[in-house]
Amino acid sequence: MQKGGTPIKKLTALLALLALCLLAAPAAFADGVEVKYLDKDGTEQTCPSATVVTKEVTTWTDTTDAHGWYVVNSTVEIGTAADPIPVTVEGDVRLILADNASLTVNGGILVNEGNSITIYAQERGTGALTATGGIFSAGIGGGYKGSGGDVTATGGHRGPRGGGRGHPLAQPRGPAR
């Protein structure tokens, strides 16, 4: 007998290992990472289950296992200037920009009427979002000849709601739309 078994036994063992990995994969890669964020009052909250945004996640919906919660926790770029890919928001979506994370969407974030997105920061408020719309489309909002839905950005404690840099004495001056 050959050392390590026959080729058939090796193939059978390999297929069994592959099958075991495939059965375990849904649990390992399922939606649902726990993540902290700051609510509109600057109070730290915990989202028990958020979908991690990757360049492949281009439809954000509140019907996922994570119920509309998404988190950017690394550097992610969706689409390119030469090949823009929009992200479509369906329902009431909440996006958390983790500290030191960056999301660039070349193609815009489409939030058509009847849908909404709320963007949250983490404690240090160092997450970044850049959304560049496609032809005739908003960076965040309605698409070509469409009407936009609600867009709400929530800054960190004493930070700006819609971009820029915060100041220790900064106070919000009304709704960010």
Side-chain angles (χ1 to χ4, degrees), residues 42-68:
T43 304
E44 188 171 78
Q45 303 290 331
T46 300
C47 170
S49 178
T51 300
V52 176
V53 174
T54 65
K55 67 180 182 178
E56 292 84 16
V57 179
T58 59
T59 300
W60 302 343
T61 179
D62 65 0
T63 59
T64 65
D65 289 340
H67 303 290

Side-chain angles (χ1 to χ4, degrees), residues 9 24 31 38 58 71 76 94 116 118 120 131 165:
K9 286 184 181 178
D31 290 340
L38 298 178
T58 59
V71 61
V76 178
R94 292 157 309 264
S116 65
T118 303
Y120 296 93
R165 300 218 182 268

Side-chain angles (χ1 to χ4, degrees), residues 4-174:
T6 65
I8 298 287
K9 286 184 181 178
K10 285 182 181 178
L11 180 60
T12 303
L14 181 62
L15 289 174
L17 181 61
L18 179 62
L20 184 61
C21 290
L22 289 175
L23 288 173
F29 297 105
D31 290 340
V33 299
E34 183 177 286
V35 61
K36 295 189 181 301
Y37 68 96
L38 298 178
D39 67 12
K40 67 180 180 176
D41 300 318
T43 304
E44 188 171 78
Q45 303 290 331
T46 300
C47 170
S49 178
T51 300
V52 176
V53 174
T54 65
K55 67 180 182 178
E56 292 84 16
V57 179
T58 59
T59 300
W60 302 343
T61 179
D62 65 0
T63 59
T64 65
D65 289 340
H67 303 290
W69 284 93
Y70 291 81
V71 61
V72 179
N73 59 12
S74 64
T75 299
V76 178
E77 184 170 8
I78 299 174
T80 64
D83 186 21
I85 298 173
V87 169
T88 303
V89 170
E90 297 175 347
D92 180 22
V93 170
R94 292 157 309 264
L95 177 67
I96 300 168
L97 294 174
D99 285 333
N100 301 317
S102 172
L103 173 62
T104 301
V105 182
N106 296 297
I109 299 174
L110 300 177
V111 186
N112 289 316
E113 189 171 354
N115 302 293
S116 65
I117 185 169
T118 303
I119 303 170
Y120 296 93
Q122 285 191 320
E123 182 181 11
R124 294 188 317 255
T126 58
L129 169 63
T130 302
T132 304
I135 297 174
F136 302 115
S137 297
I140 301 176
Y144 178 67
K145 291 189 177 181
S147 58
D150 291 332
V151 178
T152 305
T154 302
H157 182 68
R158 295 188 176 178
R161 291 184 183 176
R165 300 218 182 268
H167 185 277
L169 301 177
Q171 297 294 320
R173 292 190 184 157

